[in-house]
Amino acid sequence: MTTKSADSLLAGSPFLKGLADRYPDCLTTGPAEIIAAVCSVLASEVVSGGDENVLKQNLRIARNKAALAIALADLKGQWLLDEVTENLTNVADACLNATINWLLRDAGRQGKLVGLDNDNPAFGSGYVVMAMGKHGAHELNFSSDVDLIVLYDPEIAPLGENVEPSTFFVRMTKRIVTVMQDVTKDGYTYRVDLRLRPDPRATQVAISFNAALNYYESMGQNWERAAMIKARPVAGDMELGARFLKEIQPFIWRKYLDFAAIAEVHSLKRQIHAVKGHGEIAILGHNVKLGRGGIREIEFFVQTQQLIAGGRNKFLRGIATLDMLDRLVEADWISSQAASDLKDAYRFLRQVEHRIQMVADQQTHQLPGDQQRFDDLA
């Protein structure tokens, strides 16, 4: 890509223009090559040393370069939506793994964890990060928070002498948040949201394996069942994460739904409709995620159909929105025309959402409210 064509393409985005000025190599290198390179750096020994500032710098540069490369591939039509969201997710996964492996090694250096494999410190660590929502489903958006649930198992964690599990893993989790979202001269990596964990107002940011299972089995709500559909172990002790998903399956997937459960699904729908502006059909100021006919409604439709039918049909237990629409057709649950209309709308709205966020790297889903800014975005 020439400098002139890049300037034209990036004219509407101060954020991307700033990245292009800082990382000009991203304008002349293929996006797949850039993603592979930044993920390789994150997995290398460069981030496994003793300097947390080096870790932070590598994380932010990796995310910046990936953001620019993915945006260009998207804007030029080089990648379709699936490729864009998959690569956004892969980079987030790589950043989380680099952070957690560094922190685990650091705990090993301090004697708080013992006997870790330095090449693979997450294995057997008893500490796992679960990605939720779009991150869990490999559908991350351009300027997304990462929604996480953090679990630990004190029975298998190789803790040092006199190390109290809850205190240690809560502090480690808070360090993840700091490493990922502190703003430095290179920006930030990702904003971290831990509010999808069980009873977030009453629990710590890291929760024990058994406590989480007990919560879902005794107090879990339908919206949490829907959220758990997309849960995915993303970093840390992946075997522990897989075990948690296996244990949580009976909570997510029920063969029968009682009247109370169906009423709660209707209640969730009413809550979506209660969002300001949901009842209006508009262009200026429209929220493409939460507004009428928006991204959230499509995702909600798919997940509720999964909750209703997935208890009996394991084929309907996938995590990706577009893939599940195809599976609902195959299961003769919805018509092919309905699936086609929803997929077209979903792809279009997600592309618009990405362009809104590319302007200034803000987690927003709202079209400009005045005509001039709207025209600029267009």
Side-chain angles (χ1 to χ4, degrees):
M1 179 184 296
T2 65
T3 302
K4 184 176 180 180
S5 61
D7 287 345
S8 175
L9 196 60
L10 305 177
S13 170
F15 171 65
L16 294 179
K17 183 64 170 65
L19 293 183
D21 291 340
R22 294 175 67 183
Y23 311 107
D25 57 305
C26 292
L27 303 179
T28 56
T29 307
E33 187 178 343
I34 291 170
I35 301 303
V38 300
C39 289
S40 176
V41 168
L42 291 173
S44 74
E45 287 302 308
V46 174
V47 296
S48 66
D51 191 339
E52 186 173 318
N53 290 325
V54 172
L55 170 66
K56 286 184 175 181
Q57 184 178 46
N58 278 300
L59 290 169
R60 282 149 184 76
I61 292 174
R63 189 262 174 173
N64 288 341
K65 287 188 172 184
L68 178 58
I70 293 169
L72 292 173
D74 187 0
L75 292 169
K76 292 188 295 180
Q78 187 174 353
W79 282 352
L80 299 176
L81 176 66
D82 290 357
E83 294 173 288
V84 170
T85 56
E86 181 73 23
N87 279 282
L88 287 169
T89 302
N90 288 343
V91 173
D93 288 1
C95 287
L96 277 167
N97 274 279
T99 300
I100 289 163
N101 286 337
W102 188 94
L103 289 172
L104 288 169
R105 290 187 184 102
D106 188 54
R109 287 190 287 268
Q110 298 178 41
K112 294 179 179 179
L113 292 173
V114 295
L116 292 177
D117 180 348
N118 194 58
D119 292 330
N120 185 16
F123 180 76
S125 64
Y127 181 78
V128 66
V129 174
M130 309 291 293
M132 305 293 290
K134 286 185 173 65
H135 188 187
H138 296 274
E139 296 170 344
L140 210 58
N141 60 48
F142 186 79
S143 184
S144 182
D145 298 352
V146 288
D147 293 303
L148 308 175
I149 292 178
V150 180
L151 305 171
Y152 64 90
D153 187 344
E155 296 182 6
I156 65 173
L159 295 166
E161 189 176 355
N162 299 322
V163 176
E164 200 282 318
S166 176
T167 301
F168 171 72
F169 286 118
V170 165
R171 286 177 178 171
M172 177 175 285
T173 304
K174 290 179 178 179
R175 285 188 75 188
I176 292 173
V177 175
T178 299
V179 168
M180 294 285 282
Q181 69 181 30
D182 271 5
V183 178
T184 72
K185 65 180 180 64
D186 298 300
Y188 69 102
T189 311
Y190 295 96
R191 295 172 295 268
V192 178
D193 192 335
L194 299 167
R195 291 175 295 177
L196 286 181
R197 70 184 185 274
D199 197 7
R201 289 174 295 183
T203 57
Q204 294 279 13
V205 292
I207 187 168
S208 76
F209 184 95
N210 288 333
L213 284 179
N214 290 338
Y215 169 84
Y216 290 119
E217 290 170 357
S218 61
M219 300 174 62
Q221 303 175 53
N222 270 335
W223 74 264
E224 290 173 306
R225 292 176 57 219
M228 275 292 162
I229 289 174
K230 296 181 181 295
R232 175 175 64 92
V234 64
D237 191 335
M238 302 297 278
E239 289 188 6
L240 179 63
R243 182 157 61 92
F244 178 76
L245 284 186
K246 182 178 180 180
E247 295 282 347
I248 205 73
Q249 292 302 297
F251 163 69
I252 304 172
W253 307 111
R254 301 178 187 172
K255 288 187 177 180
Y256 305 100
L257 289 180
D258 56 26
F259 289 112
I262 293 172
E264 189 173 341
V265 169
H266 285 293
S267 174
L268 291 171
K269 180 68 170 173
R270 286 193 296 272
Q271 290 174 43
I272 290 178
H273 286 178
V275 173
K276 183 178 179 182
H278 187 278
E280 302 171 2
I281 298 176
I283 299 296
L284 296 180
H286 179 68
N287 191 309
V288 298
K289 178 181 179 181
L290 301 177
R292 183 173 180 177
I295 296 165
R296 175 63 58 80
E297 279 208 83
I298 299 171
E299 294 171 336
F300 177 83
F301 171 78
V302 172
Q303 288 174 288
T304 53
Q305 305 316 297
Q306 288 183 265
L307 289 180
I308 293 167
R312 292 187 172 187
N313 188 348
K314 292 184 179 180
F315 183 63
L316 298 178
R317 298 183 183 182
I319 60 176
T321 302
L322 294 175
D323 179 49
M324 289 314 307
L325 283 167
D326 288 333
R327 293 196 193 188
L328 287 166
V329 173
E330 291 184 52
D332 202 25
W333 196 255
I334 63 174
S335 71
S336 58
Q337 185 61 54
S340 178
D341 290 345
L342 288 169
K343 287 194 292 183
D344 287 346
Y346 181 81
R347 289 190 177 102
F348 174 73
L349 291 169
R350 289 299 309 271
Q351 287 176 330
V352 173
E353 174 188 50
H354 286 169
R355 282 146 181 74
I356 294 170
Q357 295 176 350
M358 285 175 190
V359 173
D361 191 28
Q362 294 178 337
Q363 176 65 337
T364 179
H365 315 276
Q366 194 155 345
L367 289 166
D370 66 82
Q371 191 65 52
Q372 184 57 56
R373 289 196 301 120
F374 184 89
D375 292 343
D376 290 343
L377 175 67

